[in-house]
Structure formats: structure tokens, C-alpha cells
Amino acid sequence: MSAVDDLREGRTSLGIELGSTRIKACLIGSDPTAVLATGSFSWENRLEDGLWTYPLAEVWTGLQAAYAELIADAEQQHGIRPTAFGAIGISAMMHGYLAFDEAGELLVPFRTWRNTNTGAASAELGELFGVNIPLRWSIAHLHQAVLDDESHVSRIASVNTLAGYVHERLTGERVLGVGDASGMFPIDSATGDYDERMLRAYAARTGDLLPRALDEILPEVRPAGAPAGVLTDEGAALLDPTGALRPGIPLCPPEGDAGTGMVATNAVAPRTGNVSAGTSIFAMVVLERPLAEVHHELDLVTTPAGDAVAMVHCNNGASELAAWAGLFSRFTAAAGQPLDDDAVFDLLFREALDGEADAGGLLAYNHLAGEPIAGLDAGRPLFVRTPDSVLTLANVVRAQLYGVFGTLALGMQVLQDEGVELDRMFAHGGMFRTAGVAQRFLAGALGAPVAVGDLASEGGAWGIAVLASYLAHADDRSLGEYLDETVFATASVSLADPDPADVAGFATYLDRYRAGLAIEAAAVASL
């Protein structure tokens, strides 16, 4: 079928993902590899009263803007303004804390995954459950509010993630995909639901401190392919205030950005994994067996189908790298030879290929926020060199690229020590668009082949659109089969094997990086 036929007859799937810096919409056709239109809206988190947040009003401003841009793009490319779709999916940043009262009113400003004020709750829950409960998980935020005796706790009727909140407003259904739910509270992969033993343990610990049972406060869990409601009249008006969008469209379970990244890179089978690089950077590795020990560096979450995954999540990704690129972009403008952002990134990345394997003794920390894996509760971006280091542009850029992968590599070493083996890692995110640079360095950092595919260019927005399209196929095949046989059957994938020189060079860099964390800690204490 042609794109025009798909648009005219509603054989399309719309995916919208609320990322850290962009809200992105992606429309695919009956062939899920065909992207028919896109739209986006840029936004940034804010530090207010010591906590990172986004105003909920901007959620809807951004969703409407991204949707409107997608509709305009469809009209420009295909001559049609679609008013209905075959399915819709919503994805967003995982974790965080959105607490509502009985009337659905927000009780406190949205607390995002980036906040690290939940240390006491995280430690107490980890001991209670016998598993690692990261600082950013929703249950850590909720329990910290309990420990701090916050006044709103007595009025909590529900807690949700950002994706779950948007989905509920669009459908009236308070449900969540299992992958996103696994970042709220631990999931029992045998049942595909919240771990019953841990729910009972939490109830015994908190008694009547919460106004209702925790499993009533949390959203209902659904696996990929399960029905999750339809677009209501009110939801259609929220997404498209012009009134053109028709209600009644089915929605798939809302998912987190980690799960959509796994879908976008076909990394849902054991011995596969993916790395997603944006404002944060994280790796997801699908496990063949349970881990032998509890590790604070690792989260245990699930794929959108409910299979166990070890996640290495770092709060700081490519933002500091982008700031350095902005510095050089301004230099080109000041020199009277301005280059656009993409050209600057491409030029700098290719320059990094000429750098020394260990970045010439230079050291870069991308810590704009706290980094739990590194033991830091606040961030101070630093660029450090010794008198005998080699300060060249190539080494500076390579050090910044290595810095993006530094904390991630510390966490991945824990998996290696557990004997977890990888056949390949898939990578996606803007920093991998320059062919053969960040991909090659990541392969050296992980000591494993790294694949980059042409289908992941639209990232999580495309991934959630694929999950929406899976609604029509879930009765006759698994998610893994759908991805292998339909979505990725003819995909073009570029594979980079680890270069021995890069592996050795990054190992030297990482030793220096680990030792230099004391400098980071001193900067946090002093500045």
C-alpha cells in the first residue's frame, strides 16, 4: 500500500515520546519501517526549590505542538491531513513521581528521574526488598515523601509516570506498560505484575501511613500487545485542539523510554542489549539468568514483553558534549564562517578519530547532575589535564566522547564480572549519527560489537509507534517474532567490532576516570 492509501484509510500508527529535551511524534504506515511524518517540540527541565521538574501545562503545549507539526508534515509530504490512525502509543521518560488526589489534581510538582534526594528511601527499600531500588524509581520518591512526612501523602490517591499520566488523560485508563511499570516498583517476571512479596513487605513497613494499599495507588500493569483503552472525546481534544482528530482510536500500553529504545534497536532477546544516549545515557541488557548478587550499579527492569533486563542508568549523557560543540559553533560564527550544529558535530567527531587512544591523558566529566553509580549526589562538569597531557583538538573531543561513556562503563563492568555475555549491543541517539565515531568508541569502551541501524533514527517515538502497530499482531506472534519477522527483517545494520587499540586506550582512560572521581567529589563539596 502507498503512504497516501495508508493515511487515507487510517492504516497508520502514531507514536509520541516525551523525552528529556524533545517531545517527538512519529507516524508509520502499514509497513512499520516507513516513517510517513514527524513532528517535535523542544523543552527543558527546570530546577525549582532544589528539585528537577517540568510544568504539566508544558506537557500539553508540547504534545499539541509536536502533533500539529506532524499533521502539517503529512500534508506537505503526502497531501493529506490525517484525522484518524490505526493505533496510538505514548512513551516518556521513566521513573519520577507524579502524585494525584482523588479528583485527579497534582499534589506536588512533577519530580523527574533526575532528582537524587531519595537516598534514605532507596537504602531502606533496598534492604527491605533485597533488591537494588535506584534513587530515581517512583517507589523511592513515594517512600521519601513518607519518610519526610510531607503533608500531601495523606491525600494520595494515585501515583504515575509521565507516560502513564498522559495515557490516562487521553483514554481514562490508568494502566502502564510492564517495562515502564518496572521502573516504578519491582516486577515479578513470572507473573508480569508487581512483586507480591515486596508489596506485602512494604505494607507491613508503612502500615497506615498511606491512605490506601500500594497496589491501588500504582497503575495496572499491561504487557506489550494488550489492549489499553481508546482515545476519548476529551483525549482527542487535548491532543488536537482544532477538533479534527476523531476519538475511538485504540492505544497500546504506555511505555518508558528504555522500553521503546529496546524496540527501536530490536534488543528484546537474551544476550542482546542497547545503549540509548541523550540527556541521560543507559544500557539495557536482556538476561539469560538471574544475577547472582544485588548491585547498586544495576537496576532490574523488564522488556515491554516482561522479560528480565539489567539496566545501567547514568543521569548524565550527551548534554555536556553538546555544550562543548556549542562553544565551537560560536567560534565558527565569530570567525565569519558559521556552520550549523550538525556540521559542527560531524567535524568535531571526525577530528576525534585522530586523537590518541587514551585521549592523550585528558579527562572529561559530564556530570551536570548527581551520578549515583559514581557515588555523587550532585554534579560538576569538569575538564581536567595534567602538565604532561597532550592538549589537541582531537584529544579534547575524544576525551569528551569517552566522558559520555565513562560512568556507563563502570556499571557495565559489574555485568561483566557477573558473567553476563553479549552477542551485540545496539546504539541509538543523536551522537551516533556521525557514522563510525561514537559507535566505534562505544565498542572499545564495552569490548563488544556495537550495531547502529537505519531504523532507529527516530528513536523512541518510532519505537512506541511500532508497539502501537503490534496491537494488531499480538494474537498470533510474540513481540520478538514481530520485530524479527516484520520490522527488522530487511533492516540495514552497521556493525563495529571493538578495535584492540581503542579497548586498551579506553581502559587506560577509565582507570584515570575512576581515580579522578575524587576530584569530582571535591568539586561538589567546594563549588
Side-chain angles (χ1 to χ4, degrees):
M1 294 292 178
S2 70
V4 170
D5 290 335
D6 282 346
L7 288 165
R8 194 171 280 140
E9 299 176 25
R11 287 190 303 268
T12 54
S13 299
L14 172 64
I16 301 178
E17 182 160 279
L18 295 94
S20 301
T21 58
R22 280 201 304 169
I23 299 174
K24 193 167 185 178
C26 177
L27 186 64
I28 61 176
S30 54
D31 173 4
T33 68
V35 175
L36 306 183
T38 61
S40 68
F41 174 83
S42 295
W43 67 341
E44 288 288 348
N45 55 188
R46 306 175 188 178
L47 188 63
E48 296 181 357
D49 297 325
L51 293 172
W52 293 102
T53 188
Y54 296 85
L56 290 196
E58 197 169 352
V59 169
W60 298 106
T61 300
L63 282 169
Q64 291 165 6
Y67 178 81
E69 189 173 285
L70 177 137
I71 296 300
D73 188 37
E75 182 178 34
Q76 181 179 4
Q77 290 197 63
H78 310 290
I80 293 176
R81 294 180 67 86
T83 59
F85 312 100
I88 298 175
I90 301 297
S91 174
M93 300 168 279
M94 289 178 68
H95 318 298
Y97 184 67
L98 281 160
F100 301 92
D101 65 14
E102 194 68 47
E105 294 297 321
L106 187 67
L107 292 170
V108 291
F110 173 31
R111 298 172 183 177
T112 78
W113 57 269
R114 200 172 190 179
N115 291 295
T116 56
N117 63 308
T118 56
S122 175
E124 183 176 310
L125 294 174
E127 182 178 350
L128 178 65
F129 297 152
V131 299
N132 180 40
I133 300 296
L135 300 178
R136 65 189 180 282
W137 278 29
S138 303
I139 185 60
H141 285 279
L142 172 61
H143 192 55
Q144 191 65 50
V146 171
L147 294 179
D148 293 341
D149 196 26
E150 294 194 39
S151 60
H152 77 275
V153 169
S154 63
R155 294 180 287 141
I156 293 175
S158 65
V159 170
N160 220 329
T161 65
L162 183 55
Y165 159 71
V166 171
H167 181 94
E168 184 176 2
R169 292 292 306 275
L170 296 180
T171 66
E173 299 282 340
R174 194 162 63 87
V175 300
L176 202 59
V178 63
D180 204 7
S182 69
M184 295 194 81
F185 190 88
I187 294 289
D188 180 352
S189 288
T191 65
D193 207 342
Y194 301 117
D195 190 290
E196 185 62 36
R197 176 188 67 82
M198 297 182 195
L199 286 172
R200 290 196 302 269
Y202 190 72
R205 175 64 61 93
T206 55
D208 60 359
L209 294 177
L210 290 174
R212 58 183 65 189
L214 183 59
D215 59 350
E216 297 176 13
I217 290 174
L218 298 174
E220 182 181 335
V221 181
R222 301 272 174 90
V230 299
L231 187 67
T232 63
D233 290 334
E234 295 81 3
L238 268 175
L239 196 54
D240 179 19
T242 71
L245 178 61
R246 298 202 298 267
I249 302 168
L251 273 78
C252 69
E255 264 299 346
D257 52 357
T260 58
M262 299 183 80
V263 171
T265 53
N266 194 19
V268 299
R271 297 176 66 94
T272 66
N274 80 351
V275 170
S276 177
T279 301
S280 64
I281 185 169
F282 54 84
M284 308 281 287
V285 178
V286 187
L287 299 175
E288 295 180 283
R289 55 171 177 76
L291 298 178
E293 299 178 25
V294 176
H295 303 278
H296 82 273
E297 299 92 344
L298 305 177
D299 309 358
L300 294 180
V301 292
T302 76
T303 69
D307 296 314
V309 172
M311 181 181 190
V312 179
H313 185 282
C314 309
N315 283 352
N316 300 280
S319 295
E320 180 67 0
L321 176 66
W324 278 80
L327 185 74
F328 288 106
S329 179
R330 173 57 194 151
F331 176 80
T332 68
Q337 301 290 331
L339 297 174
D340 63 32
D341 290 345
D342 286 344
V344 169
F345 272 106
D346 187 76
L347 183 66
L348 292 174
F349 278 36
R350 296 194 187 287
E351 178 73 9
L353 294 173
D354 293 330
E356 297 175 52
D358 70 342
L362 307 180
L363 187 58
Y365 290 100
N366 63 339
H367 299 163
L368 290 161
E371 197 59 85
I373 290 177
L376 300 166
D377 58 9
R380 298 293 184 272
L382 293 177
F383 181 72
V384 183
R385 70 186 188 98
T386 57
D388 60 347
S389 61
V390 183
L391 185 64
T392 65
L393 179 59
N395 283 339
V396 167
V397 182
R398 186 177 280 227
Q400 292 294 338
L401 283 161
Y402 278 6
V404 175
F405 303 138
T407 310
L408 183 77
L410 296 178
M412 290 298 291
Q413 282 194 344
V414 176
L415 275 179
Q416 293 171 8
D417 293 343
E418 274 269 1
V420 174
E421 297 182 353
L422 279 169
D423 292 332
R424 65 183 182 273
M425 288 288 280
F426 292 83
H428 72 116
M431 67 183 298
F432 297 103
R433 284 188 297 176
T434 299
V437 183
Q439 177 187 10
R440 169 184 152 180
F441 293 161
L442 180 60
L446 302 182
V450 172
V452 174
D454 58 1
L455 291 182
S457 60
E458 299 300 331
W462 179 73
I464 191 65
V466 169
L467 284 173
S469 73
Y470 177 58
L471 277 176
H473 304 274
D475 288 342
D476 56 25
R477 68 190 79 175
S478 69
L479 177 60
E481 290 169 339
Y482 179 63
L483 295 179
D484 284 339
E485 298 167 6
T486 302
V487 181
F488 287 90
T490 60
S492 173
V493 174
S494 168
L495 188 68
D497 289 314
D499 182 297
D502 290 339
V503 173
F506 186 84
T508 299
Y509 179 91
L510 192 63
D511 287 341
R512 190 164 64 245
Y513 183 94
R514 187 183 288 106
L517 287 172
I519 308 171
E520 268 289 303
V524 170
S526 303
L527 299 175

